[in-house]
Amino acid sequence: MIIRSKAPLRLGLAGGGTDIASYYNLYGGYILNATIDMYAFCTLEPAGDQAIVFTAADIEKEEKYDSLPELKTDTGLRLHTGAYNRIVKDFNDGKPLSLRMTTYSDAPAGSGLGSSSTMVVAMVKAYTEYLNLPLGEYDIAALAYQIERVDLGLAGGKQDQYAATFGGFNFMEFESEERVIVNPLRIKRWIRNELENSLVLYYTGISRESARIIERQIEGTRSSKKDHLESMHELKSQAVKMKEAILKGDFALFSRCLERGWEAKKHAASGITNPFIDELYEYARNNGAESAKISGAGGGGFMMLFCNPCNRMTLIRALKKRDGVVMTPSFTEIGTQAWTV
């Protein structure tokens, strides 16, 4: 028996940062995101040799353990050991499992597309299929969040786990006491097609560690810095406006929201932008882009660019003259999936 699973990566369209607990517990957070046809993949193969083997094929790393009820999570493939520990503890009566797990992602860690959290969702989904666990979408997303943010202590927001689990276009509300509401948006086909034809992703080649930037955002909220809070409130406001823009097909408003959201994001914490990103932004604007933002926490990863579809090839040709990778993803409506071979 072989279990396979996958979970889609996401584009954070608006509101990024308001899904961090230090903010939403006080003010509530709004996020608008959409999943794309890039995935985190997981294969789980039960084994009878009293051993555990984790292989991260994309970074060419493999770790082997004795079959124990709890594995160390302080080094190595922490997402893998963290997910294993929580599953054994909560759903297997503390009894160890013997298995081989192989994972890989279409995007590198630090890409700004939620790759780490999406990988945890894919692993949880594989375990759910393997152990026949009665977990719904909200359960899987919440469990993935707990593994990454609580068990492993990795700083970050909450949108990625829910985006990867639910899939599609979603307007998400984050409230105190860990209450989350995922509102799927019914986007007209022509609007979805137009938006796909208007977006370009450019991988800067800089893989950043989002935790450091997020920690500075958390400190800004806790210290109630006026400029920081105003920026965060603006990010939240733009999520509401962009939702309206997408539902109505108002792409001029969409572009303005993207622009204003990026300006607010840059003032939320230091490190979100840098001279390289600023220069790239201006270069893209001079070659067909109407607006743009760095996806995720900032500092590097993917830049998402919006343009008139008639100018898309001009923009792509210009970006290809630089170091980096140009991508034109499509949206996907389906969240995490698992199947048995």
Side-chain angles (χ1 to χ4, degrees):
M1 178 174 65
I2 299 175
I3 307 296
R4 300 198 199 279
S5 66
K6 67 177 184 178
L9 301 174
R10 62 97 185 103
L11 289 180
L13 299 174
T18 69
D19 59 327
I20 296 173
S22 61
Y23 181 84
Y24 68 67
N25 279 331
L26 295 174
Y27 308 103
Y30 294 155
I31 292 285
L32 178 66
N33 57 35
T35 51
I36 56 177
D37 57 347
M38 297 172 65
Y39 296 88
F41 298 90
C42 177
T43 294
L44 189 160
E45 301 174 81
D49 54 3
Q50 300 303 305
I52 301 166
V53 180
F54 293 134
T55 302
D58 46 357
I59 59 173
E60 300 182 85
K61 189 167 187 177
E62 182 173 279
E63 295 178 354
K64 298 180 180 180
Y65 303 88
D66 292 331
S67 183
L68 299 171
E70 185 174 3
L71 306 177
K72 293 182 178 181
T73 61
D74 53 350
T75 60
L77 299 175
R78 299 184 65 197
L79 300 180
H80 298 65
T81 53
Y84 171 88
N85 287 347
R86 176 56 82 99
I87 292 295
V88 167
K89 176 185 174 183
D90 288 2
F91 302 104
N92 206 50
D93 297 324
K95 299 175 183 178
L97 296 168
S98 295
L99 56 88
R100 295 184 62 90
M101 177 175 283
T102 303
T103 62
Y104 62 94
S105 176
D106 285 336
S111 64
L113 301 179
S115 54
S116 296
S117 300
T118 302
M119 182 60 72
V120 178
V121 168
M123 290 190 284
V124 170
K125 185 65 174 179
Y127 282 119
T128 299
E129 176 81 3
Y130 175 41
L131 299 174
N132 194 27
L133 303 179
L135 300 179
E137 293 167 326
Y138 278 99
D139 302 317
I140 290 173
L143 180 57
Y145 176 83
Q146 287 285 319
I147 290 168
E148 192 174 7
R149 306 291 178 234
V150 179
D151 297 355
L152 297 177
L154 300 175
K158 209 170 194 176
Q159 66 161 314
D160 300 344
Q161 295 85 357
Y162 287 83
T165 302
F166 282 81
F169 283 83
N170 291 294
F171 183 80
M172 301 180 180
E173 303 173 59
F174 299 94
E175 302 176 359
S176 60
E177 300 181 358
E178 304 306 321
R179 186 165 183 259
V180 180
I181 302 172
V182 178
N183 303 284
L185 301 184
R186 297 180 62 183
I187 309 298
K188 293 179 180 178
R189 179 62 60 179
W190 77 266
I191 295 175
R192 172 176 163 160
N193 289 339
E194 181 71 7
L195 188 56
E196 278 186 356
N197 287 330
S198 303
L199 292 178
V200 175
L201 280 184
Y202 179 74
Y203 183 55
T204 63
I206 303 173
S207 179
R208 85 289 181 275
E209 185 179 350
S210 62
R212 294 181 183 178
I213 297 173
I214 291 168
E215 285 167 0
R216 289 193 283 270
Q217 288 182 259
I218 293 172
E219 177 57 32
T221 301
R222 287 176 176 170
S223 61
S224 299
K225 293 180 179 179
K226 182 180 178 181
D227 290 347
H228 169 81
L229 288 179
E230 287 179 351
S231 297
M232 298 300 290
H233 296 337
E234 178 66 11
L235 285 166
K236 181 178 172 181
S237 174
Q238 291 305 320
V240 176
K241 293 177 182 178
M242 187 179 282
K243 178 184 70 170
E244 177 185 352
I246 289 180
L247 289 173
K248 292 182 177 180
D250 186 341
F251 292 100
L253 177 58
F254 177 91
S255 185
R256 290 197 299 272
C257 290
L258 194 66
E259 185 83 5
R260 292 172 183 173
W262 174 234
E263 289 300 317
K265 185 77 172 179
K266 289 190 292 185
H267 292 91
S270 61
I272 288 175
T273 191
N274 54 48
F276 173 82
I277 292 174
D278 291 340
E279 187 275 329
L280 174 62
Y281 180 87
E282 289 304 318
Y283 177 83
R285 288 291 300 269
N286 292 332
N287 285 278
E290 295 182 8
S291 54
K293 68 182 287 287
I294 288 291
S295 187
F302 277 88
M303 177 174 280
M304 182 176 68
L305 306 112
F306 178 83
C307 65
N308 183 314
C310 293
N311 297 327
R312 197 183 194 201
M313 288 310 303
T314 299
L315 176 60
I316 289 173
R317 279 194 294 268
L319 291 171
K320 284 184 175 180
K321 294 178 181 179
R322 303 172 62 103
D323 293 333
V325 180
V326 180
M327 304 181 70
T328 54
S330 298
F331 296 116
T332 180
E333 299 177 357
I334 300 175
T336 188
Q337 304 172 68
W339 60 97
T340 300
V341 180

